[in-house]
């Protein structure tokens, strides 16, 4: 592809500065032969050149550094103005043309592979991919926008713009307003992934370490009906499965009442959040064989990266009903690491307090 788009099979984890953490991870998994829906990255250069094509970069910088971070009204006003600038400013023809062509090529190749004829309207997910995907800045930068079941080149381009605009939430503006200009510029670098939709009837997350205890002999799987957005966002209580890596083998499970799910909208564009029919609510959404598939693929991902992983996945079904795991994202598992660091800080603080108490008592005894 060109300067502004890169196929997933053209990038690796070392390309994070070009395509952000999410897209670099997807490319890395493709290179490792893992099952990932096809797609491409809209590079960081696309947004950088879009801002430099006019005085947009200067205007956005003025909004960020001219805000009163203690005023919710000031932050909201800056957000509204920034979003309008990003969404309404003309997109250079070279950038728009390359994104459009990349989507059409993906769409047509997919239609050919599936034997559905030539089509320009294959559904995709459009997802933000920041350079500092798992860093502290990413927590505040508003770079986690995901749009599902996006259909057609025009809508893909519109959603890419919306991902760019997500850099300017009130929270993100307040955060960057306290940075140096250099750090703020780095925190506003963003790529966007455009990936074939996994038409999933079940989706969820796999942890290749216990997120509760840090036990690395354990695999934890959370799953629910429909698309994975409901699990990742915490909108549903998912089924929970615990396995040992030896085997792998299921050791325990907790089947939740899964009352809602995200599914494609009836008109084929976007998604809806609907009630799950009662017959499926109280039953396991994964079979034993599907659990083994997920565990074995999770182990392959962990082995490739060399550390515990937090893996988002979707379960598609072929025409004969056979289930197939597709990986949507993988990143180092940080929940247990954060809890361990917090525990270490508490222990250190308690130790300091105890030593201080002992020291004070000792001084009192020597008087």
């Amino acid at each position: 592809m060109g300067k502004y788009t890169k196929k997933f099979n053209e990038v690796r984890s070392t390309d994070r500065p070009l395509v952000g953490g999410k897209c670099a991870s997807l490319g890395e998994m493709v290179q490792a032969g893992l099952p990932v829906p096809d797609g491409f990255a809209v590079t960081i250069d696309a947004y950088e050149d879009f801002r430099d094509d006019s005085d947009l970069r200067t205007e956005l910088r003025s909004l960020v550094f001219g805000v009163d971070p203690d005023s919710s009204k000031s932050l909201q006003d800056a957000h509204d103005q920034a979003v309008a600038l990003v969404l309404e400013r003309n997109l250079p023809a070279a950038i728009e043309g390359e994104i459009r062509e990349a989507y059409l090529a993906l769409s047509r190749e997919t239609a050919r592979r599936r034997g559905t004829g030539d089509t320009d309207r294959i559904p995709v997910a459009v997802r933000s991919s920041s350079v500092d995907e798992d860093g502290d800045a990413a927590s505040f930068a508003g770079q986690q926008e995901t749009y599902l079941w996006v259909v057609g080149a025009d809508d893909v381009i519109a959603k890419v713009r919306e991902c760019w605009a997500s850099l300017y939430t009130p929270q993100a503006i307040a955060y960057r307003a306290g940075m140096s200009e250099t750090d703020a510029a780095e925190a506003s670098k963003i790529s966007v992934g455009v990936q074939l939709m996994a038409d999933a009837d079940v989706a969820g997350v796999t942890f290749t370490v216990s997120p509760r205890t840090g036990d690395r002999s354990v695999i934890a799987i959370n799953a629910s009906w429909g698309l994975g957005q409901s699990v990742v966002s915490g909108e549903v209580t998912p089924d929970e499965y615990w396995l040992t890596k030896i085997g792998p083998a299921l050791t325990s499970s907790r089947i939740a009442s899964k009352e809602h799910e995200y599914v494609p909208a009836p008109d084929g564009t976007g998604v809806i959040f609907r009630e799950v029919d009662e017959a499926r609510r109280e039953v396991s959404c994964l079979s034993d064989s599907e659990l083994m598939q997920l565990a074995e693929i999770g182990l392959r991902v962990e082995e490739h990266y060399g550390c515990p992983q937090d893996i988002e996945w979707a379960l598609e079904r072929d025409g004969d009903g056979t289930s197939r795991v597709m990986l949507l994202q993988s990143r180092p598992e940080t929940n247990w690491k954060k809890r361990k660091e917090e525990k270490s800080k508490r222990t250190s603080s308690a130790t300091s307090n105890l030593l201080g108490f002992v020291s004070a008592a000792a001084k009192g005894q020597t008087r």
Side-chain angles (χ1 to χ4, degrees), residues 102-183:
Y103 168 74
L104 292 175
L106 173 66
S107 191
R108 291 165 184 165
E109 170 59 23
T110 302
R112 185 197 62 77
R113 191 170 61 247
R114 294 175 179 174
T116 56
D118 187 21
T119 178
D120 297 340
R121 297 183 60 79
I122 292 292
V124 294
V126 180
R127 314 172 74 195
S128 301
S129 178
S130 70
V131 174
D132 193 16
E133 192 73 26
D134 302 303
D136 293 335
S139 301
F140 295 93
Q143 297 174 355
Q144 306 305 316
E145 289 296 335
T146 293
Y147 300 96
L148 304 178
W149 231 263
V150 180
V151 178
D154 289 344
D155 202 16
V156 167
I157 290 168
K159 295 308 182 187
V160 167
R161 281 180 176 266
E162 290 183 37
C163 285
W164 291 344
S166 72
L167 286 166
Y168 299 97
T169 63
Q171 185 185 30
I173 291 173
Y175 182 69
R176 291 206 296 276
M179 293 179 164
S180 70
E181 288 209 22
T182 300
D183 289 343

Side-chain angles (χ1 to χ4, degrees), residues 205-217:
V205 181
T206 297
F207 300 96
T208 64
V209 61
S210 170
R212 295 178 181 172
T213 67
D215 184 352
R216 290 194 61 172
S217 70

Side-chain angles (χ1 to χ4, degrees), residues 230-246:
S230 60
V231 177
V232 175
S233 66
E235 292 176 89
V236 299
T237 300
D239 290 347
E240 189 176 281
Y241 307 89
W242 293 84
L243 302 91
T244 175
K245 289 180 179 176
I246 299 173

Side-chain angles (χ1 to χ4, degrees), residues 6-236:
K6 297 291 181 184
K7 290 182 178 180
F8 290 155
N9 62 11
E10 294 180 309
V11 298
R12 304 203 67 150
S13 57
T14 50
D15 292 307
R16 175 185 287 255
L18 176 67
V19 297
K22 189 179 279 96
C23 291
S25 176
L26 289 169
E28 183 71 22
M29 288 192 291
V30 169
Q31 299 278 5
L34 292 160
V36 174
D38 200 6
F40 62 92
V42 179
T43 65
I44 286 168
D45 284 339
Y47 184 55
E48 295 298 290
D49 286 2
F50 168 55
R51 289 193 291 180
D52 288 336
D53 186 62
S54 64
D55 56 358
L56 180 58
R57 184 186 295 273
T58 300
E59 291 183 61
L60 291 170
R61 183 190 298 122
S62 296
L63 284 173
V64 170
F65 289 105
V67 78
D68 177 358
D70 297 320
S71 167
S72 58
K73 183 180 185 306
S74 178
L75 290 168
Q76 186 62 46
D77 288 346
H79 160 73
D80 293 342
Q81 293 176 59
V83 169
L85 285 170
V86 173
L87 297 185
E88 295 171 5
R89 191 62 56 93
N90 289 334
L91 189 61
I95 298 174
E96 178 174 342
E98 197 169 318
I99 296 171
R100 186 178 297 274
E101 184 53 40
Y103 168 74
L104 292 175
L106 173 66
S107 191
R108 291 165 184 165
E109 170 59 23
T110 302
R112 185 197 62 77
R113 191 170 61 247
R114 294 175 179 174
T116 56
D118 187 21
T119 178
D120 297 340
R121 297 183 60 79
I122 292 292
V124 294
V126 180
R127 314 172 74 195
S128 301
S129 178
S130 70
V131 174
D132 193 16
E133 192 73 26
D134 302 303
D136 293 335
S139 301
F140 295 93
Q143 297 174 355
Q144 306 305 316
E145 289 296 335
T146 293
Y147 300 96
L148 304 178
W149 231 263
V150 180
V151 178
D154 289 344
D155 202 16
V156 167
I157 290 168
K159 295 308 182 187
V160 167
R161 281 180 176 266
E162 290 183 37
C163 285
W164 291 344
S166 72
L167 286 166
Y168 299 97
T169 63
Q171 185 185 30
I173 291 173
Y175 182 69
R176 291 206 296 276
M179 293 179 164
S180 70
E181 288 209 22
T182 300
D183 289 343
E186 192 67 22
S188 66
K189 289 185 176 180
I190 186 171
S191 170
V192 179
V194 178
Q195 184 175 33
L196 292 177
M197 275 302 308
D199 189 3
D201 57 1
V202 180
V205 181
T206 297
F207 300 96
T208 64
V209 61
S210 170
R212 295 178 181 172
T213 67
D215 184 352
R216 290 194 61 172
S217 70
V218 166
I219 298 171
I221 297 175
N222 292 343
S224 193
W225 298 117
L227 304 174
Q229 184 175 348
S230 60
V231 177
V232 175
S233 66
E235 292 176 89
V236 299

